[in-house]
Amino acid sequence: QVQLVESGGGLVQAGGSLTLSCAASGRTTSSYYMSWFRQPPGKEREFVARISWGAGITDYTDSVKGRFTISRDNAKDTLYLQMNNLKPEDTAVYYCAADSATRVASGRYTYEYRYWGQGTQVTVSS
């Protein structure tokens, strides 16, 4: 079992920055794919960014490319999401997700992940 705990959310003005963290415990996630998803108010949960284990290959949804950076510190079992130039449409509850490389294919779908954090709210005011 893996437990994930997000932190770092908050209220920020448009154009501002936030860094989200996701601390993993229970077992090491160094060989896991880890991702960020978000759920805007009244909408479905959607993929934001993914990072593989090992080489740390990244993948982003188009709307955040060039603004968000996903990274991980395997020694600390922690996932990060640096968010710059935030826009009101980035307002959502942000979730981290993880699962073993043998289970994750594209990494863009919620059903690929067994382990989820509780979410952290990000609100961007205009």
Side-chain angles (χ1 to χ4, degrees), residues 3-126:
Q3 292 79 44
L4 304 172
V5 178
E6 302 97 336
S7 61
L11 173 64
V12 64
Q13 289 188 330
S17 299
L18 282 175
T19 299
L20 305 183
S21 299
C22 173
S25 63
R27 63 182 297 175
T28 181
T29 57
S30 61
S31 63
Y32 277 37
Y33 277 94
M34 299 190 76
S35 294
W36 289 98
F37 285 75
R38 65 186 180 187
Q39 188 162 11
K43 296 185 178 181
E44 297 291 316
R45 196 170 298 188
E46 62 186 24
F47 170 76
V48 176
R50 183 203 73 177
I51 187 166
S52 67
W53 68 284
I57 297 172
T58 58
D59 181 29
Y60 298 90
T61 193
D62 287 346
S63 62
V64 308
K65 284 181 181 177
R67 301 188 298 121
F68 290 11
T69 302
I70 188 172
S71 62
R72 63 192 297 171
D73 185 334
N74 288 335
K76 295 182 178 179
D77 274 335
T78 301
L79 177 72
Y80 303 97
L81 186 67
Q82 173 68 44
M83 305 185 294
N84 298 325
N85 190 22
L86 282 160
K87 303 177 180 181
E89 52 264 42
D90 294 319
T91 294
V93 178
Y94 283 71
Y95 298 89
C96 66
D99 216 315
S100 66
T102 57
R103 287 181 55 92
V104 177
S106 78
R108 286 174 164 249
Y109 301 101
T110 58
Y111 65 77
E112 296 183 86
Y113 299 91
R114 290 175 292 174
Y115 306 113
W116 292 85
Q118 82 290 347
T120 186
Q121 177 70 48
V122 172
T123 303
V124 185
S125 63
S126 58

